[in-house]
Amino acid sequence: MSLAALLLAACAYVPTFGTAEPAIPACAPYAANVELLSSCINREIVNVLDIRAVSAICSTLPTEAEKECRRQWVWSASMSPQWEGVDLLKVCVGEDECEFMVLESRVPDSYPEAVARCDYWVKTFAEDCVRHAVNRLVSTYPDDATLKEAAAQPHGELLAGLIPSYLICQKRTTCPDLGAMTSVCTDSLNQLLSDSNAHCTMEPPDENGNSTGADQGFAPGTHAPPGPQGPPELGGPPAPAMP
Amino acid sequence: MLFRLCSLIGACLLVGCGEPACESTPDVCDFAVFQKATPVTAQEAVQAIGRFQDPIVRTAAVNHWLRLNPKSTIEDGNLLCSLLTGTEVGNCQRRVSAAHLRR
């Protein structure tokens, strides 16, 4: 064998990540580098419309890349009303951040229901999830009875500590009756009132009395709004035990 | 077998053909360099990543930098996210700005 032939034979060797072809053939040119392969699959996965196929493809990647793959698909799919929340949750396979994304994209009208879902699904980030639910609640300018009912739910202390920011906007100097949580609210409100820099950060309601910009806790406008009929319900059995 | 292994090593030492993808997809090759010498500041990273034409390589580079810099500011993170396109942008922005992911 000549030297030239040896060189050719040696250079034909292409090291690859793993031994198999990538789950998405179009990603073959990136197979030698797991970060590139992950990036390619994440880009392509959003075009896959079969949940089992999504799981099968993502599971070919190493653990962290697999999570990112699932999150990328869920993020994209959650913008489409064609997907039920339960379907999206199946792809998450118990990963809290992924499930948090799903809950944020399929919010129920009822605050107690939202809190129950946070506790059931998004365990690690349950408080953050509840915080977002509180933000959504106060953006509807609830009456005192609604606030009292909300304070009686799990995480009532968290809610009671958060609503003084809302009360400031209402130019109120006392807390409503929040049952056992009233004192938490009062302490927090007094602290806010003693801070000369404290000011209302909520946007005023529109002409129909609805909030114009509820804080969802992350960059607004990056998650597409639901379709004309609103997002589908997460569906399934009674809260919080969604399938 | 031993002969082939030796010839392979020898040939690669001679012509540096360990990364054959470099010829057809230079961005793939440049990404390997980016991985080994990742820019420190967000501005440097934006400059370096902006040179990647391949959107897949670009996304991988953004993710690589964000992974190495989990405590970067939201502004820097968003700067990096702005290099992406499509649904990747929103997912990236959530990753760099959501309070629960920054703890």
Side-chain angles (χ1 to χ4, degrees):
Chain A
M1 195 182 283
S2 69
L3 180 62
L6 273 177
L7 287 172
L8 276 176
C11 290
Y13 169 75
V14 180
T16 55
F17 164 71
T19 50
E21 282 287 303
I24 295 179
C27 293
Y30 305 97
N33 185 305
V34 68
E35 287 188 59
L36 291 177
L37 179 63
S38 169
S39 173
C40 180
I41 287 183
N42 286 352
R43 179 168 278 254
E44 298 291 331
I45 199 72
V46 298
N47 300 317
V48 178
L49 298 176
D50 179 88
I51 284 179
R52 276 182 298 184
V54 170
S55 279
I57 292 167
C58 289
S59 65
T60 63
L61 294 168
T63 311
E64 283 309 310
E66 177 184 352
K67 286 181 189 170
E68 187 51 42
C69 176
R70 290 174 183 277
R71 283 196 292 262
Q72 186 62 48
W73 185 86
V74 165
W75 176 265
S76 174
S78 67
M79 296 179 193
S80 165
Q82 94 176 77
W83 295 103
E84 296 285 340
V86 282
D87 294 326
L88 302 178
L89 288 166
K90 279 180 200 162
V91 175
C92 288
V93 290
E95 208 248 316
D96 283 355
E97 165 57 2
C98 182
E99 292 177 343
F100 196 179
M101 276 185 192
V102 176
L103 297 201
E104 295 282 286
S105 69
R106 303 287 188 270
V107 292
D109 291 334
S110 146
Y111 174 81
E113 168 74 9
V115 172
R117 289 181 184 181
C118 289
D119 276 338
Y120 185 82
W121 292 101
V122 194
K123 296 172 187 69
T124 316
F125 306 124
E127 287 214 341
D128 300 274
C129 181
V130 171
R131 203 179 293 268
H132 290 188
V134 172
N135 285 344
R136 288 193 298 269
L137 175 69
V138 298
S139 73
T140 65
Y141 295 88
D143 58 24
D144 287 0
T146 305
L147 288 175
K148 186 177 183 182
E149 187 195 343
Q153 301 299 316
H155 304 280
E157 193 171 341
L158 177 61
L159 175 134
L162 289 171
I163 60 168
S165 304
Y166 159 70
L167 298 174
I168 291 267
C169 297
Q170 305 285 296
K171 302 200 185 317
R172 290 171 65 167
T173 54
T174 56
C175 285
D177 173 18
L178 297 179
M181 296 300 156
T182 308
S183 63
V184 177
C185 176
T186 303
D187 289 349
S188 176
L189 180 60
N190 287 341
Q191 207 172 341
L192 264 184
L193 290 172
S194 67
D195 179 356
S196 56
N197 293 323
H199 61 281
C200 177
T201 54
M202 284 177 70
E203 291 184 31
D206 63 19
E207 58 206 17
N208 300 317
N210 298 316
S211 167
T212 53
D215 173 22
Q216 297 297 304
F218 57 94
T222 56
H223 217 174
Q229 282 83 42
E233 293 298 320
L234 270 166
M242 289 175 289
Chain B
M1 181 64 194
L2 185 64
F3 175 74
R4 170 160 168 75
L5 187 64
C6 290
S7 64
L8 187 139
I9 293 168
C12 285
L13 284 173
L14 277 173
V15 298
C17 59
E19 293 172 22
C22 292
E23 288 169 21
S24 56
T25 50
D27 275 0
V28 170
C29 217
D30 291 343
F31 179 72
V33 177
F34 181 88
Q35 279 178 305
K36 285 173 190 155
T38 307
V40 175
T41 69
Q43 284 72 21
E44 289 168 347
V46 167
Q47 263 193 330
I49 296 169
R51 285 196 280 270
F52 291 128
Q53 301 293 313
D54 184 335
I56 288 166
V57 177
R58 192 178 272 225
T59 303
V62 167
N63 288 335
H64 182 80
W65 192 88
L66 291 175
R67 227 181 345 266
L68 291 185
N69 297 276
K71 301 289 180 196
S72 62
T73 64
I74 294 175
E75 290 73 26
D76 281 351
N78 282 330
L79 202 58
L80 271 289
C81 294
S82 69
L83 297 168
L84 304 178
T85 55
T87 59
E88 290 175 338
V89 180
N91 194 8
C92 179
Q93 286 175 334
R94 175 182 170 99
R95 182 175 160 192
V96 300
S97 62
H100 67 283
L101 298 178
R102 295 183 61 80
R103 285 198 293 271

